[in-house]
Amino acid sequence: MPMLNLDGSSLHYTVKGSGTPIVFIHPPVLTSVNFKYQLEELSQNFQVITFDIRGHGRSPYSPEPVTYPLIVKDINRLLDHLNISKAFLCGYSTGGSIVLEYMLSFTERALGGISIGAMADVNDDYLRKKISLGIKLSSKGAISFLAWSISWNNSNNIKLFKQMFSEARKGDYRNIEQYYRYSLKYNCVSQLAEIHLPILLVYGKKDKPFHSYAEQLHEKLPRNQLHFIEKVDHRIPTKAAKQLNNLIRQFVNN
């Protein structure tokens, strides 16, 4: 079980394959298992890197609060550890927002970004209430319930559900709450025009509450491709893995 030691904490990570590196970033509660199908399939063509954010899955509690800047810094430490100078960043949901933060903070280390169901800020009641519920439940230590619910919704078979749930329930409620809270207040809308690297934006056709975020990013990012995947909602990495992997493969190869 590869672990990267950090100041007062550590990161569990996995590396598979060779070629152009792609780092995958998960949302609160979920873990790197969320990218199981990307790790398996895309590692045939690329170097796929997944990791558990501090206080999630197999990465232990972090005394330093979990924020997007901290996660971005940890990604750089991981890349340094693996002797990788530049990589593509791929994030799901709030992980996709971290892709934006990374490209704003460390342009020189990014080859490009892939944001799946991402947002530059939280500006609607639906998402605000959803994240606020995550804050409330995690603050009360209800991680097993959150892990069960989110893993069930994101899995496409019982085997994957059991694996996702087993890893997600290991998370520390304090760091999970911090990740949720930072997601709720994050806003980089005014900086989007500064991101000149290519970005692939992927959304589910049935994920109607997120279509306004897709339109916002598509309008404001200078270099982006926007794709909607048919017959799927928000849970693209697991429920539309084949279509997503094909899009990533084409984007990275171009």
Side-chain angles (χ1 to χ4, degrees):
M1 186 173 75
M3 297 290 288
L4 172 64
N5 291 324
L6 303 169
D7 300 332
S9 190
S10 55
L11 287 187
H12 166 258
Y13 69 94
T14 301
V15 181
K16 188 175 182 181
S18 60
T20 304
I22 310 173
V23 181
F24 288 82
I25 309 160
H26 65 79
V29 182
L30 288 175
T31 70
S32 54
V33 175
N34 190 75
F35 302 112
K36 176 182 173 68
Y37 299 136
Q38 285 69 51
L39 184 68
E40 290 174 350
E41 295 177 27
L42 292 176
S43 61
Q44 297 172 28
N45 308 101
F46 312 108
Q47 184 179 27
V48 176
I49 303 155
T50 64
F51 70 102
D52 292 344
I53 287 166
R54 297 188 192 203
H56 290 69
R58 302 190 187 194
S59 293
Y61 167 71
S62 170
E64 187 173 354
V66 171
T67 63
Y68 286 9
L70 180 66
I71 295 168
V72 162
K73 188 164 69 172
D74 285 348
I75 291 170
N76 276 347
R77 289 172 174 175
L78 181 55
L79 291 177
D80 289 342
H81 177 69
L82 298 172
N83 294 313
I84 295 171
S85 58
K86 291 188 175 188
F88 280 94
L89 288 302
C90 178
Y92 166 47
S93 196
T94 54
S97 305
I98 293 168
V99 169
L100 301 175
E101 176 67 17
Y102 189 94
M103 295 176 79
L104 284 166
S105 303
F106 295 99
T107 306
E108 72 282 359
R109 299 208 64 174
L111 293 169
I114 302 146
S115 287
I116 307 159
M119 67 296 294
D121 68 334
V122 176
N123 59 33
D124 75 292
D125 287 340
Y126 167 80
L127 188 54
R128 195 175 291 114
K129 288 176 181 177
K130 196 170 182 180
I131 295 176
S132 295
L133 179 60
I135 292 171
K136 183 177 180 180
L137 289 172
S138 55
S139 69
K140 294 182 180 299
I143 298 306
S144 286
F145 173 78
L146 273 170
W148 188 93
S149 175
I150 296 173
S151 297
W152 179 261
N153 286 329
N154 277 272
S155 57
N156 65 337
N157 58 59
I158 293 297
K159 182 180 179 181
L160 180 59
F161 163 69
K162 289 180 178 178
Q163 189 177 2
M164 292 180 80
F165 175 55
S166 174
E167 294 300 304
R169 69 188 302 190
K170 295 173 184 174
D172 187 281
Y173 73 93
R174 294 164 290 185
N175 291 148
I176 289 172
E177 181 189 356
Q178 291 159 1
Y179 190 2
Y180 270 127
R181 284 191 184 279
Y182 200 88
S183 301
L184 189 60
K185 72 177 185 179
Y186 183 71
N187 188 334
C188 69
V189 174
S190 64
Q191 298 171 278
L192 292 175
E194 300 171 21
I195 301 176
H196 292 281
L197 289 166
I199 298 185
L200 173 65
L201 304 171
V202 185
Y203 291 83
K205 195 74 173 179
K206 294 169 67 176
D207 194 16
K208 296 268 170 72
F210 279 79
H211 288 185
S212 62
Y213 295 112
E215 292 165 7
Q216 180 188 57
L217 290 172
H218 183 52
E219 178 188 337
K220 293 183 178 296
L221 287 166
R223 295 176 62 192
N224 74 86
Q225 302 173 26
L226 174 60
H227 292 269
F228 289 96
I229 298 180
E230 298 287 340
K231 300 177 182 178
V232 70
D233 55 13
H234 194 64
R235 299 169 274 269
I236 292 172
T238 49
K239 299 201 173 185
K242 184 176 180 180
Q243 298 96 313
L244 173 63
N245 292 348
N246 285 338
L247 286 171
I248 293 175
R249 197 177 284 113
Q250 293 166 15
F251 178 73
V252 173
N253 282 334
N254 289 335

